């Protein structure tokens, strides 16, 4: 194309796609903003009459002096690193912080350095997310909140954020001594502009000013919301701490840790508890030491709480900067312009995060990644180039997308069901959870939009919402192949029980299989031996059928022709070594010999089992290669006599259609298979037959 080689053409196409997506998003935001401006004109708010009650005279003056003249402003140098600190704990906050980060990345033109203060749950989730996202010129450092939690855990706090809502008080202590300043953000923030505009406000701080805050936009600190309401002391209307500019070096110099503790101890003697977490203590400090605060313009923290009067801010300043959902109700909060704010938030919520991996070419910070080094070794003229390239994708991965809570049983024989799926198999999850009452680890391959649809489905399902022992891990779509073995590895890696049942989402386990497997694990001594327990697989071709309640009932259905051994008519050798004839009458577990192309569904010890080979994408040889490696490692295959799973019918996948319709697809699969076998022979000093040899 226009003299480009294949790789350059693909790169040009990707850049064009990103530009189109970004233009579309900017158009959406512009339309929403125009709707907002029109709505404000219709409401005919008399701003001048209401400002007297909204702000003190000094704060009005401060706001006016803080709105700069653009022509006089100095821009932040394009390669200056902007430091952002965020406290994030738990599963829900880990989800919401991603939307915040997307909104920052969309507008940013500078390198960013995120300082994430997290609990152990959020650290695992976000560390994996950032590592797999690989956004150029973005660095992330994690600080375990456990190291400072004792500094604030003594403070009684009624706020829904719990002890983590007090953690911002410890930032001068927990962040590096070398870090001079940082923007501090709540997780329920959405940016509508370049964060560098906020960063450059640091240059306006006067001599002792070290805390930049936006005035509180409700009457909370005026004590007028209800009878006998006694808020903490505050200067005027007080300040909201959802967005803070912190001059860390100045706060350390005045002994910040001792200062906030003394004031908190004093005010707790009369107020007994904080209602708004760190915000109450920050306001009490500013009340006593007003010289510390710099008044940020109100558009840098447009607050959407239940009693907000934020429209007095954005009716005056239509160029909104930051939206803050500072209510327990979040997007359900009532506001006359809530549709605009919700649309802004949802735009970033469902935006394709892969498009935010754009390079800041003007800053020569780039380091070649492992992926780039591996890609450079590939031959683009290779007919199987796309297969080889798919293996090198950095799939953005969000672990534990929904709250997870499960501790393995103390007997040491607990087992987790492991599977993967895409959006078209989502209906199987409920059915699976009804048949399997143990822990489940699922990887879902989805777009950003589909992930939100899944979340809505999972939270609205009575069956799934009652289960906290299902780990849902989102791998975001990228490329043209379904990365089946990568997905399996993600689910397998997150198993926290000693054993894993490796299956597929379109198989329903027999009722009681979880308990039966735990007993079998114990009786067959899987702990000290390399054994793979085989659960025989069957199938029905009927969309509506009675599920057998016992082995005897299943055998009757086999004899009647309503059930069949799995794939007997299209791929018999995939399961033939299970020896279904012997299984029918077996009362004890029995050993079988591995044969080429064998791909049973198995139970294995998690710490022993190798990961799946990720060169196999789409359809074909993905499970076969894994079982073959178990054979190379010396595993014994043991068939369970009273266990079964049944494959439920569904439309064929897109990858099967590609396999059947493309001779080149089948040729590449054969090449990859032969390369895998040679690698296996080299690693385990075994000889296997290769296709065509």
């Amino acid at each position: 194309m226009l003299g480009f080689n294949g790789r350059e053409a693909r790169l040009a196409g990707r850049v064009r796609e990103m530009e189109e997506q970004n233009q579309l998003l900017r158009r959406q935001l512009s339309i929403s903003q125009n709707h907002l401006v029109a709505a404000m004109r219709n409401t005919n708010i008399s701003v001048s009459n209401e400002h007297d009650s909204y702000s003190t005279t000094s704060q009005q003056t401060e706001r006016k002096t803080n709105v700069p003249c653009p022509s006089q402003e100095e821009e932040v140098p394009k390669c200056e690193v902007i430091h952002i600190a965020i406290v994030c704990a738990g599963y829900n906050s880990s989800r919401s912080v991603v939307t915040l980060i997307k909104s920052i990345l969309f507008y940013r033109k500078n390198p960013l350095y995120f300082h994430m203060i997290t609990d152990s749950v959020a650290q695992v989730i976000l560390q994996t997310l950032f590592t797999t996202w690989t956004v150029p010129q973005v660095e992330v450092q994690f600080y375990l909140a456990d190291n400072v939690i004792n500094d604030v855990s003594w403070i009684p706090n009624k706020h829904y954020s719990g002890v983590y809502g007090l953690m911002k008080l410890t930032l001068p202590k927990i962040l590096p001594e070398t870090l001079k300043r940082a923007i501090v953000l709540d997780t329920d923030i959405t940016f509508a502009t370049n964060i560098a505009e906020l960063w450059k406000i640091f240059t306006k701080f006067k001599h002792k000013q070290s805390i930049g805050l936006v005035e509180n936009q409700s009457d909370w600190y005026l004590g007028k919301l209800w009878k006998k309401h006694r808020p903490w002391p505050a200067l005027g209307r007080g300040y909201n701490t959802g967005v803070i500019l912190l001059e860390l070096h100045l706060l350390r110099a005045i002994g910040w840790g001792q200062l906030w503790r003394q004031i908190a101890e004093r005010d707790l003697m009369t107020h007994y508890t904080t209602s708004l977490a760190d915000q109450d203590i920050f306001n009490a400090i500013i009340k006593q030491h007003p010289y510390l605060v710099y008044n940020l313009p109100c558009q840098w923290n447009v607050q959407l709480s239940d009693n907000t009067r934020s429209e007095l801010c954005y009716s005056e300043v239509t160029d909104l900067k930051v939206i803050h959902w500072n209510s327990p109700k979040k997007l359900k909060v009532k506001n006359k312009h809530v549709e605009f704010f919700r649309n802004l938030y949802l735009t970033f919520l469902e935006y394709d995060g892969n498009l935010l991996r754009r390079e800041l070419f003007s800053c020569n910070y780039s380091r070649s990644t492992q992926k780039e080094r591996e890609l450079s070794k590939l031959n683009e003229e290779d007919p199987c180039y796309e297969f080889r390239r798919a293996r090198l994708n950095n799939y953005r991965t969000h672990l534990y997308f929904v709250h997870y809570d499960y501790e393995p049983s103390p007997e040491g024989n607990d087992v987790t069901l492991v599977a993967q799926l895409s959006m078209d198999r989502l209906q199987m999850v409920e059915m699976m959870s009804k048949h399997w009452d143990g822990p489940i680890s699922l990887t879902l391959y989805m777009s950003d939009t589909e992930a939100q649809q899944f979340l809505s489905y999972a939270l609205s399902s009575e069956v799934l919402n009652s289960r906290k022992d299902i780990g849902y891990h989102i791998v975001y779509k990228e490329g043209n192949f379904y990365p089946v073995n990568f997905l399996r590895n993600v689910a397998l890696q997150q198993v926290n029980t000693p054993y894993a049942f490796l299956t597929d989402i379109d198989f329903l386990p027999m009722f009681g299989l979880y308990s039966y497997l735990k007993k079998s694990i114990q009786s067959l001594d899987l702990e000290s031996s390399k054994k793979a327990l085989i659960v025989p697989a069957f199938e029905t071709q009927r969309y509506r059928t009675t599920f057998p309640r016992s082995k005897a009932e299943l055998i009757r259905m086999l004899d009647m022709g309503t059930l069949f051994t799995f794939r007997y008519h299209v791929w018999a050798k995939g399961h033939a070594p299970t020896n279904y004839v012997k299984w029918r009458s077996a009362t004890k577990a029995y050993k079988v010999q591995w044969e080429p192309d064998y791909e049973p569904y198995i139970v294995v010890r998690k710490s022993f089992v190798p990961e799946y080979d990720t060169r196999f994408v789409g359809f074909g040889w993905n499970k076969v290669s894994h079982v073959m490696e178990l054979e190379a490692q010396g595993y014994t295959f043991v068939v369970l006599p009273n266990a079964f799973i049944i494959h439920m019918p569904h439309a064929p996948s897109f990858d099967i259609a590609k396999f059947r319709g493309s001779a080149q697809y089948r040729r590449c699969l054969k090449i990859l298979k032969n390369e895998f076998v040679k690698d296996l022979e080299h690693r385990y000093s075994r000889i296997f037959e290769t296709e065509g040899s």
Side-chain angles (χ1 to χ4, degrees), residues 102 349-354 396 401 422-423 444-454 474-478:
K102 281 184 183 179
L349 182 73
E350 299 184 358
Y351 189 69
D352 184 354
N354 295 324
R396 196 163 34 107
F401 200 66
S422 53
M423 195 69 177
L444 302 95
Y445 189 56
M446 296 180 166
S447 67
D448 293 72
T449 299
E450 288 172 339
Q452 297 308 316
Q453 293 168 356
F454 155 72
I474 305 292
V475 170
Y476 290 99
K477 286 182 176 179
E478 183 178 354

PDB file of all heavy atoms in Angstrom, residues 102 349-354 396 401 422-423 444-454 474-478:
ATOM      1  N   LYS A 102      -8.371   5.798  32.271  1.00  0.00           N
ATOM      2  CA  LYS A 102      -8.670   5.970  30.846  1.00  0.00           C
ATOM      3  C   LYS A 102      -8.902   7.444  30.504  1.00  0.00           C
ATOM      4  O   LYS A 102      -8.424   7.941  29.480  1.00  0.00           O
ATOM      5  CB  LYS A 102      -9.919   5.167  30.466  1.00  0.00           C
ATOM      6  CG  LYS A 102      -9.713   3.685  30.264  1.00  0.00           C
ATOM      7  CD  LYS A 102     -11.030   3.083  29.808  1.00  0.00           C
ATOM      8  CE  LYS A 102     -10.986   1.600  29.629  1.00  0.00           C
ATOM      9  NZ  LYS A 102     -12.295   1.055  29.208  1.00  0.00           N
ATOM     10  N   LEU A 349     -15.825   4.615  30.313  1.00  0.00           N
ATOM     11  CA  LEU A 349     -16.013   3.278  30.872  1.00  0.00           C
ATOM     12  C   LEU A 349     -15.913   2.215  29.786  1.00  0.00           C
ATOM     13  O   LEU A 349     -15.276   1.168  29.976  1.00  0.00           O
ATOM     14  CB  LEU A 349     -17.387   3.198  31.550  1.00  0.00           C
ATOM     15  CG  LEU A 349     -17.750   1.876  32.228  1.00  0.00           C
ATOM     16  CD1 LEU A 349     -16.965   1.702  33.516  1.00  0.00           C
ATOM     17  CD2 LEU A 349     -19.252   1.824  32.524  1.00  0.00           C
ATOM     18  N   GLU A 350     -16.507   2.476  28.631  1.00  0.00           N
ATOM     19  CA  GLU A 350     -16.568   1.478  27.562  1.00  0.00           C
ATOM     20  C   GLU A 350     -15.545   1.733  26.450  1.00  0.00           C
ATOM     21  O   GLU A 350     -15.532   1.025  25.447  1.00  0.00           O
ATOM     22  CB  GLU A 350     -17.987   1.454  26.977  1.00  0.00           C
ATOM     23  CG  GLU A 350     -19.037   1.079  28.021  1.00  0.00           C
ATOM     24  CD  GLU A 350     -20.439   0.959  27.451  1.00  0.00           C
ATOM     25  OE1 GLU A 350     -20.598   1.209  26.236  1.00  0.00           O
ATOM     26  OE2 GLU A 350     -21.358   0.619  28.203  1.00  0.00           O
ATOM     27  N   TYR A 351     -14.682   2.712  26.634  1.00  0.00           N
ATOM     28  CA  TYR A 351     -13.694   3.047  25.606  1.00  0.00           C
ATOM     29  C   TYR A 351     -12.634   1.952  25.515  1.00  0.00           C
ATOM     30  O   TYR A 351     -12.197   1.407  26.539  1.00  0.00           O
ATOM     31  CB  TYR A 351     -13.042   4.388  25.945  1.00  0.00           C
ATOM     32  CG  TYR A 351     -12.167   4.945  24.847  1.00  0.00           C
ATOM     33  CD1 TYR A 351     -12.723   5.396  23.662  1.00  0.00           C
ATOM     34  CD2 TYR A 351     -10.793   5.022  25.005  1.00  0.00           C
ATOM     35  CE1 TYR A 351     -11.924   5.915  22.650  1.00  0.00           C
ATOM     36  CE2 TYR A 351      -9.985   5.539  24.005  1.00  0.00           C
ATOM     37  CZ  TYR A 351     -10.557   5.985  22.834  1.00  0.00           C
ATOM     38  OH  TYR A 351      -9.771   6.495  21.830  1.00  0.00           O
ATOM     39  N   ASP A 352     -12.220   1.623  24.292  1.00  0.00           N
ATOM     40  CA  ASP A 352     -11.224   0.575  24.072  1.00  0.00           C
ATOM     41  C   ASP A 352      -9.867   1.017  24.607  1.00  0.00           C
ATOM     42  O   ASP A 352      -9.199   1.878  24.032  1.00  0.00           O
ATOM     43  CB  ASP A 352     -11.123   0.277  22.561  1.00  0.00           C
ATOM     44  CG  ASP A 352     -10.169  -0.866  22.257  1.00  0.00           C
ATOM     45  OD1 ASP A 352      -9.504  -1.359  23.189  1.00  0.00           O
ATOM     46  OD2 ASP A 352     -10.083  -1.269  21.081  1.00  0.00           O
ATOM     47  N   GLY A 353      -9.456   0.415  25.708  1.00  0.00           N
ATOM     48  CA  GLY A 353      -8.193   0.794  26.338  1.00  0.00           C
ATOM     49  C   GLY A 353      -6.979   0.537  25.475  1.00  0.00           C
ATOM     50  O   GLY A 353      -5.923   1.161  25.681  1.00  0.00           O
ATOM     51  N   ASN A 354      -7.081  -0.362  24.488  1.00  0.00           N
ATOM     52  CA  ASN A 354      -5.951  -0.620  23.596  1.00  0.00           C
ATOM     53  C   ASN A 354      -5.582   0.619  22.784  1.00  0.00           C
ATOM     54  O   ASN A 354      -4.427   0.806  22.405  1.00  0.00           O
ATOM     55  CB  ASN A 354      -6.265  -1.783  22.647  1.00  0.00           C
ATOM     56  CG  ASN A 354      -6.448  -3.087  23.388  1.00  0.00           C
ATOM     57  OD1 ASN A 354      -5.777  -3.344  24.383  1.00  0.00           O
ATOM     58  ND2 ASN A 354      -7.367  -3.915  22.926  1.00  0.00           N
ATOM     59  N   ARG A 396      -4.406  -7.101  27.530  1.00  0.00           N
ATOM     60  CA  ARG A 396      -4.765  -6.356  28.733  1.00  0.00           C
ATOM     61  C   ARG A 396      -5.644  -7.232  29.616  1.00  0.00           C
ATOM     62  O   ARG A 396      -6.666  -7.758  29.163  1.00  0.00           O
ATOM     63  CB  ARG A 396      -5.510  -5.094  28.298  1.00  0.00           C
ATOM     64  CG  ARG A 396      -5.641  -4.008  29.328  1.00  0.00           C
ATOM     65  CD  ARG A 396      -6.018  -2.701  28.655  1.00  0.00           C
ATOM     66  NE  ARG A 396      -6.880  -2.881  27.513  1.00  0.00           N
ATOM     67  CZ  ARG A 396      -8.192  -2.584  27.488  1.00  0.00           C
ATOM     68  NH1 ARG A 396      -8.780  -2.103  28.563  1.00  0.00           N
ATOM     69  NH2 ARG A 396      -8.884  -2.756  26.395  1.00  0.00           N
ATOM     70  N   PHE A 401     -12.642  -9.253  38.322  1.00  0.00           N
ATOM     71  CA  PHE A 401     -13.462  -8.128  37.883  1.00  0.00           C
ATOM     72  C   PHE A 401     -14.645  -7.909  38.821  1.00  0.00           C
ATOM     73  O   PHE A 401     -15.176  -6.813  38.919  1.00  0.00           O
ATOM     74  CB  PHE A 401     -13.962  -8.414  36.462  1.00  0.00           C
ATOM     75  CG  PHE A 401     -14.403  -7.202  35.701  1.00  0.00           C
ATOM     76  CD1 PHE A 401     -13.488  -6.230  35.339  1.00  0.00           C
ATOM     77  CD2 PHE A 401     -15.728  -7.042  35.316  1.00  0.00           C
ATOM     78  CE1 PHE A 401     -13.883  -5.106  34.610  1.00  0.00           C
ATOM     79  CE2 PHE A 401     -16.134  -5.924  34.600  1.00  0.00           C
ATOM     80  CZ  PHE A 401     -15.208  -4.954  34.248  1.00  0.00           C
ATOM     81  N   SER A 422     -16.151 -16.595  25.770  1.00  0.00           N
ATOM     82  CA  SER A 422     -16.386 -15.292  25.159  1.00  0.00           C
ATOM     83  C   SER A 422     -17.852 -14.928  25.377  1.00  0.00           C
ATOM     84  O   SER A 422     -18.623 -15.693  25.974  1.00  0.00           O
ATOM     85  CB  SER A 422     -16.040 -15.327  23.670  1.00  0.00           C
ATOM     86  OG  SER A 422     -16.714 -16.392  23.037  1.00  0.00           O
ATOM     87  N   MET A 423     -18.251 -13.768  24.874  1.00  0.00           N
ATOM     88  CA  MET A 423     -19.590 -13.242  25.150  1.00  0.00           C
ATOM     89  C   MET A 423     -20.692 -14.199  24.687  1.00  0.00           C
ATOM     90  O   MET A 423     -21.735 -14.305  25.340  1.00  0.00           O
ATOM     91  CB  MET A 423     -19.745 -11.880  24.455  1.00  0.00           C
ATOM     92  CG  MET A 423     -20.919 -11.068  24.939  1.00  0.00           C
ATOM     93  SD  MET A 423     -20.674 -10.493  26.631  1.00  0.00           S
ATOM     94  CE  MET A 423     -22.164  -9.505  26.853  1.00  0.00           C
ATOM     95  N   LEU A 444     -12.738 -14.431  30.818  1.00  0.00           N
ATOM     96  CA  LEU A 444     -13.698 -13.976  29.818  1.00  0.00           C
ATOM     97  C   LEU A 444     -12.978 -13.088  28.805  1.00  0.00           C
ATOM     98  O   LEU A 444     -12.321 -12.110  29.186  1.00  0.00           O
ATOM     99  CB  LEU A 444     -14.833 -13.202  30.478  1.00  0.00           C
ATOM    100  CG  LEU A 444     -15.628 -13.961  31.547  1.00  0.00           C
ATOM    101  CD1 LEU A 444     -15.082 -13.663  32.941  1.00  0.00           C
ATOM    102  CD2 LEU A 444     -17.102 -13.593  31.512  1.00  0.00           C
ATOM    103  N   TYR A 445     -13.085 -13.432  27.532  1.00  0.00           N
ATOM    104  CA  TYR A 445     -12.433 -12.689  26.455  1.00  0.00           C
ATOM    105  C   TYR A 445     -13.447 -11.718  25.881  1.00  0.00           C
ATOM    106  O   TYR A 445     -14.387 -12.116  25.174  1.00  0.00           O
ATOM    107  CB  TYR A 445     -11.932 -13.653  25.395  1.00  0.00           C
ATOM    108  CG  TYR A 445     -11.048 -13.038  24.339  1.00  0.00           C
ATOM    109  CD1 TYR A 445      -9.887 -12.353  24.678  1.00  0.00           C
ATOM    110  CD2 TYR A 445     -11.361 -13.162  22.984  1.00  0.00           C
ATOM    111  CE1 TYR A 445      -9.063 -11.810  23.711  1.00  0.00           C
ATOM    112  CE2 TYR A 445     -10.535 -12.624  22.003  1.00  0.00           C
ATOM    113  CZ  TYR A 445      -9.388 -11.947  22.381  1.00  0.00           C
ATOM    114  OH  TYR A 445      -8.569 -11.408  21.419  1.00  0.00           O
ATOM    115  N   MET A 446     -13.272 -10.415  26.153  1.00  0.00           N
ATOM    116  CA  MET A 446     -14.320  -9.447  25.844  1.00  0.00           C
ATOM    117  C   MET A 446     -13.730  -8.102  25.475  1.00  0.00           C
ATOM    118  O   MET A 446     -12.587  -7.785  25.825  1.00  0.00           O
ATOM    119  CB  MET A 446     -15.245  -9.265  27.056  1.00  0.00           C
ATOM    120  CG  MET A 446     -16.011 -10.515  27.435  1.00  0.00           C
ATOM    121  SD  MET A 446     -17.069 -10.247  28.863  1.00  0.00           S
ATOM    122  CE  MET A 446     -18.107 -11.707  28.763  1.00  0.00           C
ATOM    123  N   SER A 447     -14.527  -7.284  24.825  1.00  0.00           N
ATOM    124  CA  SER A 447     -14.185  -5.875  24.622  1.00  0.00           C
ATOM    125  C   SER A 447     -14.542  -5.105  25.888  1.00  0.00           C
ATOM    126  O   SER A 447     -15.202  -5.630  26.788  1.00  0.00           O
ATOM    127  CB  SER A 447     -14.978  -5.311  23.435  1.00  0.00           C
ATOM    128  OG  SER A 447     -16.363  -5.278  23.755  1.00  0.00           O
ATOM    129  N   ASP A 448     -14.118  -3.852  25.956  1.00  0.00           N
ATOM    130  CA  ASP A 448     -14.452  -3.023  27.122  1.00  0.00           C
ATOM    131  C   ASP A 448     -15.966  -2.897  27.286  1.00  0.00           C
ATOM    132  O   ASP A 448     -16.486  -2.944  28.406  1.00  0.00           O
ATOM    133  CB  ASP A 448     -13.830  -1.636  26.976  1.00  0.00           C
ATOM    134  CG  ASP A 448     -12.315  -1.684  27.041  1.00  0.00           C
ATOM    135  OD1 ASP A 448     -11.691  -2.164  26.072  1.00  0.00           O
ATOM    136  OD2 ASP A 448     -11.754  -1.259  28.048  1.00  0.00           O
ATOM    137  N   THR A 449     -16.670  -2.742  26.181  1.00  0.00           N
ATOM    138  CA  THR A 449     -18.129  -2.618  26.236  1.00  0.00           C
ATOM    139  C   THR A 449     -18.761  -3.924  26.717  1.00  0.00           C
ATOM    140  O   THR A 449     -19.652  -3.918  27.573  1.00  0.00           O
ATOM    141  CB  THR A 449     -18.683  -2.247  24.849  1.00  0.00           C
ATOM    142  OG1 THR A 449     -18.127  -0.994  24.449  1.00  0.00           O
ATOM    143  CG2 THR A 449     -20.200  -2.133  24.877  1.00  0.00           C
ATOM    144  N   GLU A 450     -18.301  -5.047  26.179  1.00  0.00           N
ATOM    145  CA  GLU A 450     -18.849  -6.348  26.584  1.00  0.00           C
ATOM    146  C   GLU A 450     -18.585  -6.628  28.057  1.00  0.00           C
ATOM    147  O   GLU A 450     -19.415  -7.239  28.737  1.00  0.00           O
ATOM    148  CB  GLU A 450     -18.246  -7.454  25.722  1.00  0.00           C
ATOM    149  CG  GLU A 450     -18.767  -7.462  24.292  1.00  0.00           C
ATOM    150  CD  GLU A 450     -18.025  -8.444  23.403  1.00  0.00           C
ATOM    151  OE1 GLU A 450     -16.877  -8.832  23.742  1.00  0.00           O
ATOM    152  OE2 GLU A 450     -18.583  -8.833  22.360  1.00  0.00           O
ATOM    153  N   ALA A 451     -17.444  -6.177  28.554  1.00  0.00           N
ATOM    154  CA  ALA A 451     -17.131  -6.392  29.970  1.00  0.00           C
ATOM    155  C   ALA A 451     -18.160  -5.708  30.861  1.00  0.00           C
ATOM    156  O   ALA A 451     -18.559  -6.251  31.901  1.00  0.00           O
ATOM    157  CB  ALA A 451     -15.729  -5.880  30.285  1.00  0.00           C
ATOM    158  N   GLN A 452     -18.613  -4.526  30.458  1.00  0.00           N
ATOM    159  CA  GLN A 452     -19.640  -3.834  31.249  1.00  0.00           C
ATOM    160  C   GLN A 452     -20.992  -4.531  31.137  1.00  0.00           C
ATOM    161  O   GLN A 452     -21.751  -4.585  32.101  1.00  0.00           O
ATOM    162  CB  GLN A 452     -19.747  -2.377  30.786  1.00  0.00           C
ATOM    163  CG  GLN A 452     -18.477  -1.572  31.013  1.00  0.00           C
ATOM    164  CD  GLN A 452     -17.964  -1.661  32.441  1.00  0.00           C
ATOM    165  OE1 GLN A 452     -18.739  -1.562  33.406  1.00  0.00           O
ATOM    166  NE2 GLN A 452     -16.671  -1.861  32.598  1.00  0.00           N
ATOM    167  N   GLN A 453     -21.286  -5.094  29.970  1.00  0.00           N
ATOM    168  CA  GLN A 453     -22.522  -5.872  29.814  1.00  0.00           C
ATOM    169  C   GLN A 453     -22.481  -7.122  30.682  1.00  0.00           C
ATOM    170  O   GLN A 453     -23.475  -7.491  31.327  1.00  0.00           O
ATOM    171  CB  GLN A 453     -22.712  -6.243  28.340  1.00  0.00           C
ATOM    172  CG  GLN A 453     -22.987  -5.055  27.442  1.00  0.00           C
ATOM    173  CD  GLN A 453     -22.895  -5.406  25.962  1.00  0.00           C
ATOM    174  OE1 GLN A 453     -22.551  -6.521  25.587  1.00  0.00           O
ATOM    175  NE2 GLN A 453     -23.198  -4.442  25.105  1.00  0.00           N
ATOM    176  N   PHE A 454     -21.311  -7.762  30.726  1.00  0.00           N
ATOM    177  CA  PHE A 454     -21.157  -8.924  31.593  1.00  0.00           C
ATOM    178  C   PHE A 454     -21.356  -8.541  33.056  1.00  0.00           C
ATOM    179  O   PHE A 454     -22.032  -9.248  33.815  1.00  0.00           O
ATOM    180  CB  PHE A 454     -19.769  -9.555  31.420  1.00  0.00           C
ATOM    181  CG  PHE A 454     -19.329 -10.321  32.635  1.00  0.00           C
ATOM    182  CD1 PHE A 454     -19.919 -11.537  32.952  1.00  0.00           C
ATOM    183  CD2 PHE A 454     -18.368  -9.804  33.492  1.00  0.00           C
ATOM    184  CE1 PHE A 454     -19.556 -12.226  34.098  1.00  0.00           C
ATOM    185  CE2 PHE A 454     -18.003 -10.486  34.637  1.00  0.00           C
ATOM    186  CZ  PHE A 454     -18.590 -11.698  34.932  1.00  0.00           C
ATOM    187  N   ILE A 474     -11.103 -10.733  33.282  1.00  0.00           N
ATOM    188  CA  ILE A 474     -11.346 -10.207  31.937  1.00  0.00           C
ATOM    189  C   ILE A 474     -10.028 -10.096  31.184  1.00  0.00           C
ATOM    190  O   ILE A 474      -9.072  -9.474  31.670  1.00  0.00           O
ATOM    191  CB  ILE A 474     -12.020  -8.826  31.987  1.00  0.00           C
ATOM    192  CG1 ILE A 474     -13.320  -8.867  32.805  1.00  0.00           C
ATOM    193  CG2 ILE A 474     -12.281  -8.318  30.568  1.00  0.00           C
ATOM    194  CD1 ILE A 474     -14.425  -9.664  32.195  1.00  0.00           C
ATOM    195  N   VAL A 475      -9.962 -10.696  30.011  1.00  0.00           N
ATOM    196  CA  VAL A 475      -8.874 -10.454  29.065  1.00  0.00           C
ATOM    197  C   VAL A 475      -9.497  -9.705  27.889  1.00  0.00           C
ATOM    198  O   VAL A 475     -10.448 -10.192  27.271  1.00  0.00           O
ATOM    199  CB  VAL A 475      -8.216 -11.770  28.593  1.00  0.00           C
ATOM    200  CG1 VAL A 475      -7.262 -11.507  27.432  1.00  0.00           C
ATOM    201  CG2 VAL A 475      -7.470 -12.428  29.752  1.00  0.00           C
ATOM    202  N   TYR A 476      -8.977  -8.510  27.607  1.00  0.00           N
ATOM    203  CA  TYR A 476      -9.604  -7.653  26.604  1.00  0.00           C
ATOM    204  C   TYR A 476      -9.181  -8.052  25.193  1.00  0.00           C
ATOM    205  O   TYR A 476      -8.028  -8.395  24.947  1.00  0.00           O
ATOM    206  CB  TYR A 476      -9.269  -6.190  26.881  1.00  0.00           C
ATOM    207  CG  TYR A 476      -9.957  -5.674  28.117  1.00  0.00           C
ATOM    208  CD1 TYR A 476      -9.283  -5.598  29.333  1.00  0.00           C
ATOM    209  CD2 TYR A 476     -11.297  -5.306  28.084  1.00  0.00           C
ATOM    210  CE1 TYR A 476      -9.920  -5.145  30.484  1.00  0.00           C
ATOM    211  CE2 TYR A 476     -11.947  -4.850  29.216  1.00  0.00           C
ATOM    212  CZ  TYR A 476     -11.258  -4.775  30.419  1.00  0.00           C
ATOM    213  OH  TYR A 476     -11.903  -4.341  31.541  1.00  0.00           O
ATOM    214  N   LYS A 477     -10.133  -7.994  24.299  1.00  0.00           N
ATOM    215  CA  LYS A 477      -9.924  -8.439  22.919  1.00  0.00           C
ATOM    216  C   LYS A 477      -8.813  -7.659  22.223  1.00  0.00           C
ATOM    217  O   LYS A 477      -8.706  -6.440  22.357  1.00  0.00           O
ATOM    218  CB  LYS A 477     -11.221  -8.266  22.112  1.00  0.00           C
ATOM    219  CG  LYS A 477     -12.301  -9.286  22.426  1.00  0.00           C
ATOM    220  CD  LYS A 477     -13.513  -9.049  21.547  1.00  0.00           C
ATOM    221  CE  LYS A 477     -14.586 -10.105  21.764  1.00  0.00           C
ATOM    222  NZ  LYS A 477     -15.776  -9.857  20.936  1.00  0.00           N
ATOM    223  N   GLU A 478      -8.028  -8.420  21.462  1.00  0.00           N
ATOM    224  CA  GLU A 478      -6.983  -7.812  20.645  1.00  0.00           C
ATOM    225  C   GLU A 478      -6.592  -8.801  19.554  1.00  0.00           C
ATOM    226  O   GLU A 478      -6.381  -9.984  19.831  1.00  0.00           O
ATOM    227  CB  GLU A 478      -5.762  -7.459  21.500  1.00  0.00           C
ATOM    228  CG  GLU A 478      -4.678  -6.751  20.730  1.00  0.00           C
ATOM    229  CD  GLU A 478      -3.491  -6.356  21.601  1.00  0.00           C
ATOM    230  OE1 GLU A 478      -3.555  -6.530  22.824  1.00  0.00           O
ATOM    231  OE2 GLU A 478      -2.499  -5.886  21.027  1.00  0.00           O
TER     232      GLU A 478
END
